């Protein structure tokens, strides 16, 4: 099938590359010429394990190409995906400026029947909006349909998630439009749910918000565990063994961040507001999440008797492992808290240091974790990168001023820390 994907961010590029790997003729579009040139040269514009190899292979085999022209891409495709950003505006409402602009360009270009697919995470009603904008360009309604096809991939495992999704959701007004996408995804052979447009749009927000709620729930339980000498890992294991609850997303930690959960939970709160429903449950999910990081930092502040003149080492900066994404990363909140109280921060992350450096140039960026530990009064494990899991903790401790380890992701067994002579402070115990 001939497919266009507009937007080469995480969702767009991964979708384009994966569809190309299934033998479709895919053109990926971006209005940023520098990005297009990079992609043409086989260099991914995002960090994602496995993408480079797949990108280069599909391009070499002529299944994948890049352009900055939406109209050229639309005219040469039967299906056009909109996969541009919908960042939160100041009040948390998703900003649809890019979606609108792309819909206008697509509308101007349509000459033959085209299925326009919203893959960007958009609030309920955005599918209708896209349809309206395309119609305003003078396109005959018989020449296009708008379909919602939300994306459920996770950064860090995006290619596998796209090839093996738990479910494919297709929201459409007409069965013929949905059928086109069913055909496109047929090779994946995954459970496929066909719904109306609004339900499909809501499924995405409801799913992300539910997962964020699950994490906030276990983080709230972690606070109880700290107060009553219980262990959150054991509580989570006991809860997760119940099939109705499930073990996933019950990992207590510093809280959820990234480019999706914070934006989508706010987005659903705002959607609810517009629909005259006060979603108090979700507001509390956000409060618990914000509080979780501040509480952990406060435990360290109390342990050190304040941050003034102290040096704190941070292991990991990205919002989760296997990504360079620092959007809403907990490291940023932690750095801010320490610096504002007169403390000094050293940090190491395998790939995201340059992004954080733009925000906090005053942090000392190290070339490895042992350098982070040098003369540190405490170390905080912020992101659970694999390479931190089997660290020589005794070596780490040997260069520290005070041998204090705050484990924000619960990766270090107490016995291992004790053997290394480290005082371990973990979440939820
Ligand atoms: C999330 C969803 O998991 C995807 O299904 C969805 O497609 C994506 O958002 C999106 O809307 O585009 P992502 O943000 O890449 O994916 O990352 P997750 O792996 O879901 O992690 C989100 C945050 O929750 C991270 O900060 C992570 O550290 C935290 N988390 C996750 C926990 O604190 N505990 C857990 O048990 C799981």
């Amino acid at each position: 099938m001939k497919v266009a994907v507009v937007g080469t961010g995480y969702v767009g590029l991964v979708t384009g590359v994966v569809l190309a790997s299934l033998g479709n003729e895919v053109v990926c579009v971006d209005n940023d010429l520098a990005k297009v040139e990079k992609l043409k040269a086989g260099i991914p514009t995002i960090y994602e394990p496995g993408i480079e190899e797949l990108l280069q292979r599909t391009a070499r085999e002529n299944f994948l190409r890049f352009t900055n022209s939406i109209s050229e891409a639309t005219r040469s495709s039967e299906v056009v995906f909109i996969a541009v950003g919908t960042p939160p505006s100041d009040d948390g409402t998703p900003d649809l400026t890019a979606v609108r602009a792309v819909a206008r360009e697509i509308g101007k270009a349509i000459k033959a029947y085209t299925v326009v697919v919203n893959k960007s995470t958009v609030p309920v009603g955005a599918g209708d909006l896209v349809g309206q904008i395309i119609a305003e360009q003078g396109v005959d309604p018989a020449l296009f349909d708008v379909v919602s096809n939300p994306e459920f991939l996770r950064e860090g495992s995006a290619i596998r998630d796209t090839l093996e999704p738990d479910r494919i959701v297709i929201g459409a007004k007409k069965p013929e439009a949905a059928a086109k996408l069913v055909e496109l995804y047929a090779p994946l052979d995954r459970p496929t749910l066909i719904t109306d447009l609004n339900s499909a749009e809501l499924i995405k927000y409801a799913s992300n918000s539910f997962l964020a709620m699950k994490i906030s729930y276990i983080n709230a339980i972690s606070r109880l565990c700290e107060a009553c000498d219980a262990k959150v890992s054991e509580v989570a294991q006991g809860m997760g063994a119940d099939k109705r609850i499930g073990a996933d997303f019950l990992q207590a930690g510093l809280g959820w961040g990234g480019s999706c959960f914070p934006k989508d939970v706010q987005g659903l709160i705002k959607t609810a507001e517009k629909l005259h429903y006060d979603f108090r449950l979700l507001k509390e999910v956000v409060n618990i999440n914000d509080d979780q990081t501040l509480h952990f930092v406060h435990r360290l502040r109390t342990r050190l008797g304040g941050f003034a003149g102290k040096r704190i080492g941070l292991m990991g900066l990205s919002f989760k492992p296997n990504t360079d994404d620092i959007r809403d990363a907990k490291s940023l909140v932690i750095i801010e808290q320490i610096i504002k109280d007169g403390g000094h921060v050293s940090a190491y992350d395998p790939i995201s240091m340059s992004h954080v450096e733009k925000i906090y140039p005053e942090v000392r960026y190290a070339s490895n974790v042992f350098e982070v530990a040098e003369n540190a009064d405490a170390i905080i494990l912020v992101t659970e990168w694999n390479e931190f899991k089997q660290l020589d903790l005794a070596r780490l401790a040997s260069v520290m001023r005070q041998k204090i380890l705050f484990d924000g992701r619960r990766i270090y067994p107490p016995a291992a820390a004790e053997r290394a002579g480290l005082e371990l402070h973990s979440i939820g115990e």
Side-chain angles (χ1 to χ4, degrees):
M1 205 178 282
K2 290 185 170 25
V3 179
V5 183
V6 184
T8 61
Y10 272 99
V11 170
L13 189 60
V14 173
T15 302
V17 167
V18 167
L19 288 175
S21 77
L22 297 175
N24 296 292
E25 285 173 47
V26 179
V27 52
C28 285
V29 193
D30 208 293
N31 57 5
D32 183 337
L33 258 180
K35 273 192 184 176
V36 172
E37 289 310 319
K38 244 180 125 175
L39 290 164
K40 279 183 178 168
I43 306 163
T45 44
I46 56 164
Y47 175 86
E48 184 61 38
I51 190 123
E52 187 164 359
E53 190 264 323
L54 211 53
L55 167 78
Q56 291 173 356
R57 178 156 64 79
T58 49
R60 201 171 48 241
E61 291 169 346
N62 289 330
F63 289 123
L64 184 65
R65 64 187 181 91
F66 300 94
T67 175
N68 67 336
S69 166
I70 293 180
S71 64
E72 184 266 311
T74 302
R75 284 193 190 132
S76 59
S77 305
E78 304 148 71
V79 176
V80 181
F81 283 91
I82 303 179
V84 292
T86 53
S89 45
D90 288 344
D91 72 346
T93 309
D95 179 353
L96 297 183
T97 309
V99 172
R100 282 200 186 88
V102 169
R104 261 192 305 275
E105 289 299 306
I106 293 173
K108 282 184 203 152
I110 289 179
K111 293 279 177 274
Y113 179 73
T114 308
V115 175
V116 180
V117 188
N118 240 335
K119 214 166 197 18
S120 303
T121 302
V122 287
V124 174
D128 287 333
L129 176 74
V130 166
Q132 189 193 320
I133 293 172
I134 294 175
E136 280 166 12
Q137 312 311 307
V139 185
D140 179 344
L143 278 190
F144 77 97
D145 278 303
V146 178
V147 172
S148 165
N149 170 224
E151 181 51 61
F152 300 104
L153 65 81
R154 285 163 298 176
E155 291 180 20
S157 55
I159 291 177
R160 198 185 55 230
D161 289 347
T162 308
L163 281 168
E164 298 167 23
D166 285 350
R167 78 297 205 190
I168 293 167
V169 174
I170 300 170
K173 287 194 168 148
K174 289 192 218 140
E176 310 87 86
K180 195 85 181 160
L181 279 214
V182 170
E183 188 189 331
L184 183 64
Y185 287 123
L188 300 182
D189 193 21
R190 306 302 290 180
T192 302
L193 180 71
I194 297 174
T195 71
D196 59 90
L197 260 180
N198 287 2
S199 300
E201 288 167 350
L202 206 49
I203 285 170
K204 170 71 190 204
Y205 279 96
S207 301
N208 271 2
S209 297
F210 189 88
L211 292 169
M213 178 183 76
K214 216 175 160 189
I215 302 167
S216 279
Y217 185 86
I218 197 66
N219 283 339
I221 295 290
S222 81
R223 296 288 295 272
L224 297 187
C225 291
E226 286 172 19
C228 75
D229 210 13
K231 289 192 176 57
V232 73
S233 51
E234 292 181 8
V235 178
Q237 203 181 356
M239 285 172 63
D242 185 328
K243 279 209 244 9
R244 293 168 303 174
I245 298 175
D248 291 342
F249 282 66
L250 276 185
Q251 185 69 39
L254 287 164
W256 38 270
S259 58
C260 306
F261 285 0
K263 162 175 86 71
D264 295 351
V265 173
Q266 282 302 342
L268 190 53
I269 291 173
K270 282 290 159 193
T271 297
E273 245 168 50
K274 288 201 181 96
L275 298 171
H276 310 292
Y277 176 66
D278 181 8
F279 212 146
R280 293 193 299 274
L281 175 65
L282 276 190
K283 290 179 181 169
E284 198 47 34
V285 165
V286 175
N287 289 338
I288 292 170
N289 192 51
D290 292 342
D291 201 37
Q292 184 74 357
T293 325
L294 294 178
H295 166 72
F296 194 62
V297 174
H298 188 65
R299 280 174 60 193
L300 175 60
R301 187 188 286 114
T302 309
R303 172 61 188 86
L304 293 178
F307 289 134
K310 302 279 163 45
R311 178 160 290 281
I312 316 297
L314 262 54
M315 295 203 283
L317 295 169
S318 53
F319 87 93
K320 68 170 191 176
N322 301 321
T323 175
D324 65 341
D325 199 338
I326 59 155
R327 283 175 284 183
D328 267 296
K330 295 302 179 184
S331 59
L332 305 179
V333 181
I334 296 172
I335 294 172
E336 191 201 294
Q337 289 287 313
I338 297 169
I339 288 178
K340 97 174 160 37
D341 285 0
H344 308 286
V345 178
S346 309
Y348 174 72
D349 185 283
I351 50 171
S352 67
M353 287 194 290
S354 59
H355 303 317
V356 179
E357 197 169 7
K358 289 185 193 122
I359 308 171
Y360 290 111
E362 61 272 59
V363 167
R364 196 173 79 193
Y365 295 92
S367 51
N368 59 58
V369 274
F370 299 107
E371 213 176 294
V372 162
E374 269 168 30
N375 296 321
D377 292 287
I379 280 206
I380 309 179
L381 184 286
V382 182
T383 316
E384 68 279 31
W385 284 93
N386 266 343
E387 65 186 77
F388 298 152
K389 289 184 179 159
Q390 297 291 349
L391 270 190
D392 181 347
L393 291 180
R395 185 175 159 203
L396 201 73
S398 69
V399 294
M400 294 176 74
R401 186 156 45 211
Q402 300 193 65
K403 303 181 192 325
I404 301 172
L405 173 60
F406 269 66
D407 182 356
R409 298 290 174 184
R410 304 183 39 81
I411 65 170
Y412 295 117
E418 198 181 320
R419 269 198 309 276
L422 278 165
E423 179 186 310
L424 177 70
H425 298 257
S426 213
I427 281 176
E429 58 184 82

